[in-house]
Amino acid sequence: TPRATPPAAMPPATPLPALSLLLPLSLSLLSPGGSAGAPCPPGCICASNLLSCSRANLSTVPVLPRFASVLDLSHNNVSRLRGDWAPARLPHLHTLLLSHNALAFVSTEAFGHVPHLRHLDLSSNRLRALDENLFSALGELEVLLLYNNEIAAVDRTAFEDLARLRKLYLGRNRIARFPLELLREGSRLPQLALLDLSANRLRSVPAGELQALPAWLRDRLYLHGNPLTCDCQLFQLLARGRHRHLSAVVDFQEELRCFPEGGGAAVAILGLAGRQPLNCSEAREAVLEAHLGDSVTLACDSRWQGVRGRHWVTPAGDRVAGDGGGNGSVALLANGSLEVRALRAEDAGTYSCWVAGPSGNETLYVELLVHNFTAHGPHDTLNTAYTTLVGCILSVVLVLIYLYLTPCRCCCCRGAEKAPAPRDDSINSSVLSTTPNHNGGDGERGGGPGEGSGGGPGQNGRFKGAGTPQLPPRQGLKAQRKVSDPDSVSSVFSDTPIVV
């Protein structure tokens, strides 16, 4: 008969209390809220690394596991977000949702534990101001939702160091002034592609600066629902946007309204064309002026950001792409612009840029005007036609001066003339004078034969002999002065004697 195995040879049985301790430990290692951090918070739903604590009636943020990558705390009662709301660093968290919490305070140190956050939703709360460097710790943030708050003040450094921010929603707040200088190319928000400022309290915007922004940013620059003041520059900004089919203009035409400066009901901004008292006119979209010999760069201002499938067509019909083309004086640059070197008169005309976008194609037109003189030539200030006109006017003025402003020889200005030096010959004697001849000196009459005081035969009652009259001897320099002969040659056009 077989013998039974002795009890000492069998493995020892595990006590029941030890099994009850090992089972929860093994399960905790398999659960997402185990040794990697705190377990799933009460009232939350945890699915892998996603935590949904929405509508859990929370007044503070619970202790969170370190592996959390998405955290939804919306529709709770978290009114203050302090710097210690997350006592441990959350290196994997990239999405934080805090909307509908009556949140009125956010510490400037609140985001120090979540440096890799890419999506932050603070919408539908009670925030009143965006303080200095509020979001500076979020260098990887891409989307920031702040709409439907009570924000009235925005510090220009609130978005400092947000080099990757692409979308910023600030609609439905109380903003009366937003630092739009943040939108300039190369500014602190270099990748911003959407800015929602709708339904705020903006009364004016720098239309000229906004027009200089690239089209891909103006395509998502929302300004509708603001009490803007009617202005022709604002009209031209939006009219150009409508011509380019920009979404921010085309999708909200009815809500783009303004108020007249003198008061009155709101009117449609795009309806200001030809309307009194502004009588605005649409400006041309893209016109560039240059001179012969210059080099210019034509920008392809597309609505699509970062596209590479594009080419240009010159007025002569030449196609210019990245693989060459054209006549050798044009070149396609890396940013899609077209460079035209050493301009000629035949380079003037309309250039077209064809762009293949992600959701459709787009064709842009740029008109180039080439003036037929150099920028540094003599025609900088006066062109040929203007110079000819000025020359004609000057000629007419000189002729009029010559005809009417020459010195007169009338009796009124005779006394101011300087008497000529006395002469002894009879060359100055008048042959047409109608006045009698007088001799000066000591009062005695004198003269040669044939000269008398009146009544003798001859012209004008006088007779003039053929010989030269004898002159009386001089009695010194001023002893005797000869009065000019009434028939002197120098007085041919005068009816008064000239005393010499």
Side-chain angles (χ1 to χ4, degrees):
T1 23
R3 300 178 60 182
T5 306
M10 298 182 61
T14 305
L16 184 61
L19 290 176
S20 63
L21 293 176
L22 290 175
L23 182 60
L25 179 60
S26 60
L27 292 177
S28 65
L29 292 175
L30 297 176
S31 66
S35 62
C40 188
C44 300
I45 300 176
C46 300
S48 182
N49 57 354
L50 309 180
L51 278 72
S52 176
C53 303
S54 179
R55 302 182 185 275
N57 197 25
L58 300 175
S59 57
T60 59
V61 180
V63 179
L64 304 171
R66 293 183 67 253
F67 61 82
S69 62
V70 176
L71 176 60
D72 183 5
L73 291 170
S74 62
H75 296 276
N76 281 289
N77 299 318
V78 182
S79 60
R80 301 175 68 84
L81 193 65
R82 301 179 181 274
D84 57 353
W85 68 273
R89 186 179 178 89
L90 301 176
H92 305 289
L93 190 68
H94 60 76
T95 301
L96 177 59
L97 310 178
L98 282 165
S99 63
H100 298 278
N101 268 280
L103 197 62
F105 171 78
V106 176
S107 172
T108 56
E109 301 176 356
F111 306 108
H113 297 296
V114 287
H116 303 296
L117 207 62
R118 297 196 302 268
H119 187 106
L120 177 60
D121 186 1
L122 296 173
S123 63
S124 300
N125 282 292
R126 296 179 181 176
L127 298 176
R128 296 185 177 182
L130 300 180
D131 297 330
E132 181 180 1
N133 300 109
L134 180 59
F135 305 105
S136 297
L138 302 176
E140 300 181 14
L141 191 65
E142 297 179 2
V143 180
L144 178 57
L145 285 74
L146 291 164
Y147 63 86
N148 196 26
N149 274 278
E150 302 174 4
I151 301 172
V154 179
D155 191 277
R156 66 177 59 194
T157 64
F159 309 104
E160 195 78 28
D161 300 326
L162 298 185
R164 298 187 184 181
L165 188 64
R166 296 176 50 251
K167 298 180 181 180
L168 177 58
Y169 295 86
L170 284 164
R172 295 192 175 276
N173 278 286
R174 302 176 182 178
I175 301 173
R177 184 193 178 278
F178 180 81
L180 290 172
E181 58 269 18
L182 299 178
L183 305 181
R184 296 193 185 103
E185 188 173 358
S187 66
R188 282 164 286 189
L189 301 175
Q191 296 189 19
L192 190 67
L194 185 151
L195 175 60
D196 180 14
L197 291 172
S198 62
N200 274 281
R201 299 181 179 180
L202 298 174
R203 294 188 176 274
S204 63
V205 292
E209 294 186 17
L210 297 182
Q211 181 59 42
L213 296 176
W216 54 264
L217 179 53
R218 287 185 285 122
D219 186 50
R220 295 291 190 273
L221 177 59
Y222 298 97
L223 297 172
H224 58 276
N226 281 282
L228 297 168
T229 303
C230 295
D231 180 76
C232 283
Q233 285 190 341
L234 176 63
F235 163 76
Q236 292 175 358
L237 171 69
L238 299 180
R240 286 173 173 146
R242 179 176 59 181
H243 177 73
R244 293 290 307 277
H245 303 285
L246 301 183
S247 302
V249 179
V250 176
D251 297 342
F252 297 94
Q253 292 190 53
E254 298 300 326
E255 299 179 52
L256 285 167
R257 306 180 70 83
C258 65
F259 291 86
E261 190 172 357
V267 298
I269 299 177
L270 293 174
L272 293 177
R275 180 171 179 171
Q276 297 298 332
L278 294 179
N279 194 22
C280 300
S281 59
E282 295 192 20
R284 305 175 73 176
E285 174 65 23
V287 179
L288 185 63
E289 298 186 29
H291 302 83
L292 290 176
D294 289 351
S295 295
V296 297
T297 301
L298 310 181
C300 187
D301 192 17
S302 172
R303 292 188 297 127
W304 315 117
Q305 184 182 9
V307 295
R308 297 188 179 276
R310 69 181 77 193
H311 68 266
W312 286 83
V313 178
T314 67
D318 299 328
R319 183 179 183 274
V320 183
D323 54 355
N327 55 11
S329 63
V330 294
L332 183 64
L333 303 181
N335 61 358
S337 301
L338 183 70
E339 183 182 19
V340 186
R341 300 181 293 268
L343 283 176
R344 304 166 299 172
E346 54 267 27
D347 290 330
T350 302
Y351 292 75
S352 58
C353 177
W354 181 86
V355 182
S359 59
N361 298 333
E362 184 180 19
T363 304
L364 309 175
Y365 300 94
V366 179
E367 184 178 356
L368 177 61
L369 305 178
V370 180
H371 298 289
N372 59 354
F373 53 87
T374 60
H376 305 288
H379 298 280
D380 281 340
T381 55
L382 298 175
N383 56 28
T384 304
Y386 184 70
T387 306
T388 304
L389 177 62
V390 172
C392 292
I393 295 176
L394 289 177
S395 300
V396 172
V397 171
L398 291 175
V399 170
L400 294 177
I401 292 176
Y402 177 77
L403 292 177
Y404 294 101
L405 298 181
T406 53
C408 64
R409 296 183 179 274
C410 54
C411 60
C412 62
C413 57
R414 179 69 62 186
E417 294 180 358
K418 183 178 179 180
R423 301 184 61 179
D424 294 339
D425 53 2
S426 61
I427 191 65
N428 293 324
S429 61
S430 174
V431 295
L432 298 177
S433 177
T434 59
T435 57
N437 187 23
H438 299 276
N439 290 329
D442 57 358
E444 295 180 355
R445 292 176 180 266
E451 292 187 13
S453 60
Q459 186 176 2
N460 294 332
R462 298 175 184 270
F463 176 80
K464 184 172 179 66
T468 301
Q470 297 291 329
L471 298 176
R474 291 180 178 271
Q475 300 293 332
L477 292 176
K478 297 184 180 180
Q480 185 177 12
R481 298 179 60 190
K482 179 180 178 181
V483 181
S484 64
D485 195 309
D487 297 331
S488 173
V489 175
S490 64
S491 59
V492 173
F493 299 101
S494 175
D495 57 355
T496 58
I498 300 177
V499 179
V500 297

